[in-house]
Amino acid sequence: MFPNLDLFGTCYPESGPAGGRDDRGGEQMTLAFSSETEGRFQKLLARYPNRQAALIPTLILAVREFGYLSREAMAYVAQRLEVPHAQVLSTATFYTLLHKRPLGRHHIQVCMNVACYLKGADHLAHHLRERLGIGFGEVTSDGMFSLEGVQCLAACGTAPAIQINDDYHEDMTPAKVDALLDQLRRTSAPAPTQGGDQ
Amino acid sequence: MIASTDPTRGALLRCGPGESIDLARHRALGGFNALRKALAMSPDAVREQVKAANIRGRGGAGFPAGMKWGFLPKDNPKPRYLVINADEGEPGTFKDRYFLEQDPFVLLEGVIISAFAIGAHSAYIYVRGEFVRPIQRLEAAVEELYRAGILGRSVMGSPFALDVVVHPGAGAYICGEESALLESIEGKPGRPRVKPPFPAVVGLFGCPTIINNVETMACVRLVLEHGAERFLAMGLPKDGGPKVYGLSGHVKRPGLYEGPMGLSLRTLIYEYGGGTIDDKPIKGIIPGGSSTPVLRGDQIDVNMDFDSVKAAGSMLGTAAVTVFTEGTCPVAVLTRIARFYAHESCGQCTPCRDGTGWLERLVESIEHGHGRPGDCDLLLSAAGQILGNTICALGDAAAMPVISFVQQFRDDFEEHIRRGACPYGNKPEAH
Ligand SMILES: Cc1cc2nc3c(=O)[nH]c(=O)nc-3n(C[C@H](O)[C@H](O)[C@H](O)COP(=O)(O)O)c2cc1C
Ligand code: FES
């Protein structure tokens, strides 16, 4: 039997995705999965006929554990899976959800595709940019929020839709977005400064 | 609150927004009767039923499931795989998410029946990575079935063994294309394979593989539950069964609706969907996801089945209908579509990689008021050079909307170019 992998069992790490380590300087490999993630990783290996098939789920685990895929994180995954580093790079760079840069603790994805466009996505995106003071692809200076314009989220019947970390928020309006942002600000501790957890 | 189908009306959609069906409720609704019937038959007999029901694939292409299953080689000693496509990436489409999130046991029962019929002992369900909550729900449902003895070494006490793996995608529309999907499960970038060989012969891990859409699995279950004849009677003689329709855009009640295959588009929009916002006249209808050619508002009298929509010059696709009313600029709508396909091209074939970029830049330049006379013909010619010249159908998916938008709304495009601005007064948003 394949037990429930619970791949997405934990939410983003408490250190916050922005707490990912600075990988410049060629330091020694210091990353390692937490014991919880290690358990998921081991279950993952049991599910596939070869190790490379576990690559994308493992990279997802790594994004959730380390906040994003630094070069070090990719090297770590290559080593753990015993697949060539080049294969990990090639796969990691192909997929948009395998983030290669630090994100805010709350990563906001705004759907800009047709159905959402017809229901005011541009207006919503404009509102978010103004409220957060950042553009698409940027992170607020306190590390709390990042913003990204994305393609259809498959929520077109409840457009416009946004996704914040794991959750969809549908039938959005600027007022609902404001309420969400306020709630997120109230309920999260201040994010650590970049690289500050080392 | 978004209205959806009446919960009691659906054979496919068994619950409305905000509701979901757990294992106990699934059993109470006659769950696993179809599976029990299948297990009492021979795999051959199950395949015959599915073939007789002529279930046309619900992933967009409409290829009959029974016929596809028939392409599996008879004498290949390798294991066989069943792969379920829950990538749900075609813009406008939001139907498979319903099954994952609200009624996973319908999907899983269909998966078990289909795996039994084709002789697969492993099934992979590939779900787009954005669907974190749906993946969690589906995984929990899979685990419940293991605990209930409905998955695992002995499915419902029979000698048939089946394992189901829920496999996450990671944000790439192209992985909805079946061979790219297989590459993705194998841990590689999602670049479609050259066919032949088709996946039924050389598929996942080099083994014979059947790939079907989520809703197709729900249809397989219905066929076993009610028989092929009754399934066909729920739709059209050659294109049977019920169908999930998606409705989005400028309608009063967007959402998912169930109707017979071949439901009239007018009924869907005006009766189910309550008509258009502010009762404005319809300017355009994208009938089956953003890759399907756009129809003008006056082409609304078409029936929603594979052959009828084709006869009207478009495609049923995923039956995800997006409506836009008068006052909407078609150039702006096409800009979103062209941008999408350019972003999602995997970059493998030159006509698609370069062509989708050309289409995006041309449409965008018109949108931004920099269009030049002759751009419409340039668009048609560039799109025409992509059509049919690529490894997979993403190239066609990018070209068809461009060709149809320019043909259907040429006046709007020309006016946009002539004025150097949007005739509807849109100011293009910087992005
Ligand atoms: C670019 C592209 C994207 C596709 N995306 C999906 C998708 O998200 N979901 C899906 O079921 N089929 C998708 N398809 C169709 C699949 O290749 C395949 O035909 C389908 O999954 C087969 O299932 P069916 O026969 O049950 O419909 C896509 C095809 C192309 C060319
Ligand atoms: S267009 Fe935004 S969810 Fe589909």
Side-chain angles (χ1 to χ4, degrees):
Chain A
M1 142 158 190
F2 294 126
N4 184 356
L5 179 62
D6 196 20
L7 189 58
F8 296 108
T10 44
C11 197
Y12 288 85
E14 246 328 286
S15 62
R21 283 152 218 238
D22 188 348
D23 54 299
R24 283 162 299 187
E27 64 207 288
Q28 295 240 315
M29 196 171 280
T30 50
L31 294 181
F33 284 152
S34 65
S35 59
E36 208 180 325
T37 303
E38 183 64 28
R40 293 203 176 93
F41 174 65
Q42 292 300 335
K43 282 191 205 166
L44 204 50
L45 292 178
R47 302 205 311 182
Y48 299 99
N50 67 46
R51 294 175 79 92
Q52 190 174 320
L55 177 54
I56 290 174
T58 305
L59 287 170
I60 292 174
L61 287 180
V63 169
R64 298 177 79 85
E65 174 99 7
F66 308 128
Y68 73 105
L69 296 176
S70 60
R71 295 178 76 87
E72 194 192 8
M74 289 190 242
Y76 176 69
V77 168
Q79 180 215 317
R80 295 302 313 274
L81 277 176
E82 298 161 29
V83 299
H85 193 196
Q87 182 67 58
V88 174
L89 284 176
S90 146
T91 298
T93 49
F94 188 83
Y95 295 92
T96 54
L97 294 179
L98 301 177
H99 302 287
K100 270 75 65 184
R101 285 191 302 177
L103 306 171
R105 170 169 295 174
H106 305 289
H107 181 53
I108 306 178
Q109 300 178 279
V110 190
C111 175
M112 301 298 284
N113 214 301
V114 171
C116 288
Y117 164 75
L118 294 172
K119 299 301 272 301
D122 285 19
H123 187 55
L124 201 65
H126 180 74
H127 183 79
L128 271 161
R129 285 197 199 94
E130 298 261 292
R131 280 294 309 259
L132 298 174
I134 53 173
F136 285 168
E138 295 177 354
V139 187
T140 54
S141 56
D142 62 359
M144 283 286 269
F145 296 101
S146 48
L147 194 59
E148 192 182 358
V150 296
Q151 298 299 345
C152 180
L153 290 168
C156 326
T158 40
I162 66 174
Q163 180 169 12
I164 306 183
N165 293 356
D166 293 344
D167 290 300
Y168 276 32
H169 302 274
E170 300 163 60
D171 283 317
M172 277 291 113
T173 60
K176 286 191 199 171
V177 160
D178 286 348
L180 263 173
L181 293 183
D182 287 345
Q183 190 202 335
L184 290 174
R185 281 207 179 89
R186 266 201 313 277
T187 54
S188 23
T193 48
Q194 199 89 335
D197 62 333
Q198 293 186 55
Chain B
M1 192 65 193
I2 296 306
S4 188
T5 186
D6 171 354
T8 59
R9 182 167 53 189
L12 288 172
L13 295 179
R14 305 193 297 180
C15 59
E19 303 166 0
S20 85
I21 290 177
D22 62 12
L23 186 54
R25 178 98 185 110
H26 180 65
R27 286 186 197 276
L29 290 169
F32 306 116
N33 285 345
L35 176 58
R36 234 173 258 119
K37 273 190 208 168
L39 292 173
M41 295 159 67
S42 70
D44 280 347
V46 177
R47 281 204 307 275
E48 276 314 308
Q49 280 242 9
V50 169
K51 207 166 163 194
N54 198 40
I55 306 171
R56 301 193 59 176
R58 271 34 175 179
F63 195 84
M67 198 188 290
K68 190 191 291 190
W69 295 5
F71 296 153
L72 283 168
K74 309 252 170 319
D75 46 6
N76 189 327
K78 289 184 174 172
R80 292 174 173 182
Y81 290 104
L82 175 65
V83 173
I84 304 310
N85 192 339
D87 197 51
E88 187 129 280
E90 177 73 3
T93 311
F94 52 98
K95 66 187 179 69
D96 298 335
R97 180 180 159 208
Y98 159 85
F99 292 102
L100 307 177
E101 210 163 38
Q102 293 173 257
D103 203 1
F105 295 105
V106 151
L107 162 64
L108 291 170
E109 193 177 346
V111 167
I112 304 170
I113 295 168
S114 304
F116 174 72
I118 66 168
H121 298 289
S122 297
Y124 288 82
I125 305 179
Y126 185 95
V127 189
R128 62 180 292 175
E130 289 85 350
F131 282 179
V132 176
R133 302 302 178 202
I135 286 175
Q136 289 173 331
R137 175 81 211 275
L138 184 62
E139 283 207 320
V142 166
E143 182 148 308
E144 274 188 88
L145 290 189
Y146 272 110
R147 267 190 263 119
I150 296 171
L151 279 176
R153 235 168 265 168
S154 161
V155 170
M156 296 186 106
S158 76
F160 176 61
L162 178 64
D163 281 317
V164 171
V165 171
V166 179
H167 190 93
Y173 162 72
I174 189 60
C175 291
E177 195 279 341
E178 55 187 26
S179 64
L181 191 159
L182 299 179
E183 292 282 300
S184 183
I185 296 181
E186 293 179 6
K188 294 177 257 177
R191 298 204 182 92
R193 297 175 181 170
V194 177
K195 285 160 265 182
F198 287 95
V201 181
V202 182
L204 188 60
F205 307 122
C207 300
T209 301
I210 292 296
I211 301 149
N212 275 126
N213 173 258
V214 169
E215 189 187 346
T216 307
M217 288 296 107
C219 290
V220 167
R221 176 180 170 273
L222 282 184
V223 167
L224 266 290
E225 186 170 4
H226 301 295
E229 250 173 62
R230 267 194 64 197
F231 178 82
L232 282 165
M234 291 185 223
L236 301 171
K238 279 201 189 142
D239 189 355
K243 179 79 192 89
V244 178
Y245 298 97
L247 199 50
S248 63
H250 294 153
V251 290
K252 286 193 181 124
R253 293 197 297 268
L256 293 177
Y257 294 93
E258 178 175 334
M261 183 64 94
L263 179 74
S264 120
L265 184 55
R266 184 184 288 281
T267 304
L268 178 63
I269 294 173
Y270 283 97
E271 285 179 32
Y272 293 20
T276 58
I277 294 175
D278 297 332
D279 299 314
K280 283 194 192 165
I282 296 176
K283 177 150 184 100
I285 307 168
I286 304 170
S290 71
S291 67
T292 59
V294 65
L295 302 171
R296 287 186 320 274
D298 59 13
Q299 290 174 295
I300 192 171
D301 288 301
V302 56
N303 292 337
M304 294 291 283
D305 57 83
F306 285 97
D307 297 336
S308 306
V309 185
K310 196 169 171 208
S314 185
M315 285 152 63
L316 181 67
T318 57
V321 176
T322 305
V323 175
F324 53 96
T325 52
E326 285 297 345
T328 310
C329 179
V331 179
V333 175
L334 184 61
T335 305
R336 303 298 152 139
I337 296 175
R339 195 177 288 156
F340 172 76
Y341 292 104
H343 183 261
E344 300 298 336
S345 170
C346 82
Q348 183 171 217
C349 325
T350 309
C352 175
R353 179 189 61 240
D354 286 8
T356 54
W358 272 98
L359 298 180
E360 180 194 18
R361 287 191 297 277
L362 273 167
V363 178
E364 218 159 58
S365 82
I366 300 175
E367 165 75 351
H368 287 258
H370 310 308
R372 288 168 311 185
D375 273 358
C376 282
D377 289 325
L378 192 55
L379 272 173
L380 292 175
S381 137
Q385 291 177 64
I386 302 174
L387 272 186
N389 290 328
T390 54
I391 291 176
C392 86
L394 189 140
D396 293 357
M400 288 184 301
V402 169
I403 294 172
S404 65
F405 266 80
V406 172
Q407 284 174 345
Q408 301 274 35
F409 305 112
R410 182 143 189 160
D411 290 350
D412 287 305
F413 280 78
E414 297 290 4
E415 182 69 6
H416 225 292
I417 295 168
R418 204 179 53 72
R419 290 195 195 193
C422 179
Y424 299 91
N426 282 355
K427 285 185 201 63
E429 175 91 352
H431 61 90

